[in-house]
Amino acid sequence: MLLIYVKTLTPRINYTFKQVCANILGYEIGFTSKIEEFVAHEGMKLSYGKQKMGNEFFIQEAGLLNEQGFSDVDLKFYSWDKTTCFFKVSERSDIPYDIFSASFYLLSRYEEYLPHVKDDFGRYPFEESIGYKHDFLEQPVVDLWAYKFNILLCERFSKDNSVKRKFQNKNVLAVSEAYKYRKKGLVRSIGASLRDFFKLDVSDLIERFKVLFFITKDPYDIYDGLVKESKQNHYKWHFLFQLSNYSINSKNVSYNKIKYHTLIKSMGDYGEIGLLPGYEALYSFATLKLEKKRWESIVNRPLSFVGSYNFDLNLPTLYNNFDKLEIEQDFSMSYAEAVGFRAGTCTSFLYYDINFERISPLVLEPVVFNSNCIKHHTFFELKTQLEKIKEDVEKVGGSLNILMNNKDFDDWNKERKYLNLITYLNEK
């Protein structure tokens, strides 16, 4: 067991040390505030505080984990081998940075609680993040710091520093519009056809009639092909289906359609299925609760995971609403327009509510690639970025999670390159 001495065990210290030492490095850990117990412990041990007590492994605290609430923190950034770190401490510390304060700052999304200007979609802009500003957005720095710390800790106690984690993937498909033309109802189909006619959008008008008269397949109906592709290449999907009311932000087929219910349940035979909350559900607890109830009535089992594809996280309200509804897992932790680690990690972690200094049971899955990025980067740029990121994630035995949309594959042959990239990212 790794015994950790702290003067006062705060929720932040408990949360961060468990994430870094237990979840990432795999240690069984314990805390003590009794000096006698700490001195008597014969195994691996470290102290975390202002002053070193003796010859123990010592990490000097920067103070963030003993605070409550949030304030504008003056951060200074430094190079540390091949990565970047902050919360630099004195030479008395056995590592030059308080990696636990730095990890908490990223994992809790501390910076998103601070005043900021949202983008046109109401999202926290990736350009505002310290990861982007200081060029470490594409690195799982929390995991890299943990591994650096582990090497030094094991050297002190002459222990093997290998960490028993295996590289893994989670592929998520968000279905915000199950079909482009089919199952939209007579009124919507006539209205859309008239719109195409008056806008002289001949290609869409022809495509619409071909689909509606069963001459060709609906462009968004890619499910059978995707399942076949993933089976051939030995990877699986998590599917997120939207069940919102029709609105300016939701153009999906009606949640009442039997065909849509059949599709949802059939995908459950090939992977895990969850809910894609609509825009209104991200801001309204009542709407989120209603959509959850719809999902459970279709699938006949409790909803366990959700994810947001295009809209903001609405921190901390959204995650607190997930908590109230006993949702266990979330796949929203990504930037819609940038490749990288929004929370600085490639390891799943618990949500921490800074407003109430509370550790939630909600598990957040970091997503490194949201396919909205396709609009803002060339394929070569994305491929190069993801190949490098995969190398880093493999080094720390983390999880490489991607979030796609069924619309991404509307032209199957044209999008072959993205299917090949997904296959590569899933190779072990």
Side-chain angles (χ1 to χ4, degrees), residues 1 7 27 41 43 117 176-177 189 248 275-276 334 359 388:
M1 183 182 77
K7 188 175 181 179
Y27 286 109
H41 184 70
V117 178
S176 54
E177 192 172 358
S189 295
I248 191 172
L275 175 69
L276 180 69
S334 68
I359 303 171
K388 177 62 174 67

Side-chain angles (χ1 to χ4, degrees), residues 127-272:
E127 296 94 342
E128 291 290 316
S129 71
I130 59 172
Y132 175 78
K133 290 178 179 178
H134 297 278
D135 201 27
F136 62 83
L137 185 61
E138 294 176 22
Q139 289 185 318
V141 288
V142 172
D143 305 79
L144 294 173
W145 297 335
Y147 271 59
K148 289 176 183 291
F149 155 65
N150 188 54
I151 290 171
L152 295 172
L153 181 68
C154 291
E155 284 178 356
R156 173 66 64 87
F157 293 98
S158 302
K159 300 286 187 180
D160 176 22
N161 63 24
S162 60
V163 181
K164 297 177 181 178
R165 296 210 303 175
K166 290 185 178 180
F167 171 73
Q168 59 178 316
N169 304 78
K170 293 186 181 75
N171 311 296
V172 185
L173 186 77
V175 181
S176 54
E177 192 172 358
Y179 303 104
K180 189 173 183 179
Y181 303 117
R182 294 183 60 202
K183 305 300 176 183
K184 294 293 182 73
L186 181 62
V187 173
R188 286 177 64 184
S189 295
I190 292 174
S193 299
L194 290 173
R195 181 195 63 213
D196 291 343
F197 177 78
F198 287 113
K199 289 175 64 177
L200 302 179
D201 195 343
V202 179
S203 60
D204 273 8
L205 187 62
I206 293 172
E207 184 180 52
R208 184 185 305 277
F209 279 109
K210 282 184 175 180
V211 170
L212 293 178
F213 287 98
F214 302 99
I215 298 171
T216 188
K217 193 174 184 179
D218 191 288
Y220 295 169
D221 184 5
I222 52 85
Y223 312 103
D224 292 341
L226 196 64
V227 167
K228 181 180 178 182
E229 181 80 17
S230 56
K231 278 186 174 181
Q232 289 175 346
N233 294 288
H234 311 291
Y235 60 86
K236 294 184 177 181
W237 289 90
H238 289 64
F239 298 93
L240 300 171
F241 290 96
Q242 189 166 304
L243 295 169
S244 309
N245 291 335
Y246 178 76
S247 71
I248 191 172
N249 294 302
S250 175
K251 308 296 183 183
N252 200 9
V253 300
S254 170
Y255 62 87
N256 281 319
K257 293 283 185 181
I258 299 300
K259 177 72 175 178
Y260 191 33
H261 295 186
T262 302
L263 171 65
I264 293 171
K265 289 187 277 193
S266 68
M267 290 300 101
D269 295 332
Y270 304 107
E272 301 294 326

Side-chain angles (χ1 to χ4, degrees), residues 35-192:
I35 296 176
E36 299 83 1
E37 181 184 356
F38 183 71
V39 171
H41 184 70
E42 296 181 353
M44 300 177 75
K45 56 186 177 181
L46 69 87
S47 66
Y48 181 72
K50 292 294 184 183
Q51 299 291 335
K52 191 171 186 176
M53 295 188 297
N55 294 322
E56 82 279 7
F57 193 94
F58 171 63
I59 300 175
Q60 190 174 52
E61 67 178 24
L64 186 69
L65 301 191
N66 289 309
E67 296 177 1
Q68 293 186 345
F70 55 90
S71 59
D72 194 6
V73 182
D74 182 21
L75 299 177
K76 295 181 180 179
F77 298 84
Y78 305 87
S79 295
W80 189 20
D81 291 338
K82 296 180 180 180
T83 186
T84 301
C85 201
F86 49 106
F87 287 116
K88 189 175 179 64
V89 291
S90 75
E91 294 179 357
R92 295 192 302 273
S93 179
D94 286 314
I95 56 176
Y97 303 93
D98 180 355
I99 63 167
F100 295 98
S101 286
S103 296
F104 177 80
Y105 190 92
L106 291 171
L107 294 172
S108 67
R109 303 311 302 130
Y110 194 101
E111 60 187 342
E112 297 190 34
Y113 285 79
L114 302 175
H116 59 270
V117 178
K118 295 183 181 294
D119 70 8
D120 294 339
F121 292 90
R123 301 177 299 213
Y124 178 79
F126 71 91
E127 296 94 342
E128 291 290 316
S129 71
I130 59 172
Y132 175 78
K133 290 178 179 178
H134 297 278
D135 201 27
F136 62 83
L137 185 61
E138 294 176 22
Q139 289 185 318
V141 288
V142 172
D143 305 79
L144 294 173
W145 297 335
Y147 271 59
K148 289 176 183 291
F149 155 65
N150 188 54
I151 290 171
L152 295 172
L153 181 68
C154 291
E155 284 178 356
R156 173 66 64 87
F157 293 98
S158 302
K159 300 286 187 180
D160 176 22
N161 63 24
S162 60
V163 181
K164 297 177 181 178
R165 296 210 303 175
K166 290 185 178 180
F167 171 73
Q168 59 178 316
N169 304 78
K170 293 186 181 75
N171 311 296
V172 185
L173 186 77
V175 181
S176 54
E177 192 172 358
Y179 303 104
K180 189 173 183 179
Y181 303 117
R182 294 183 60 202
K183 305 300 176 183
K184 294 293 182 73
L186 181 62
V187 173
R188 286 177 64 184
S189 295
I190 292 174

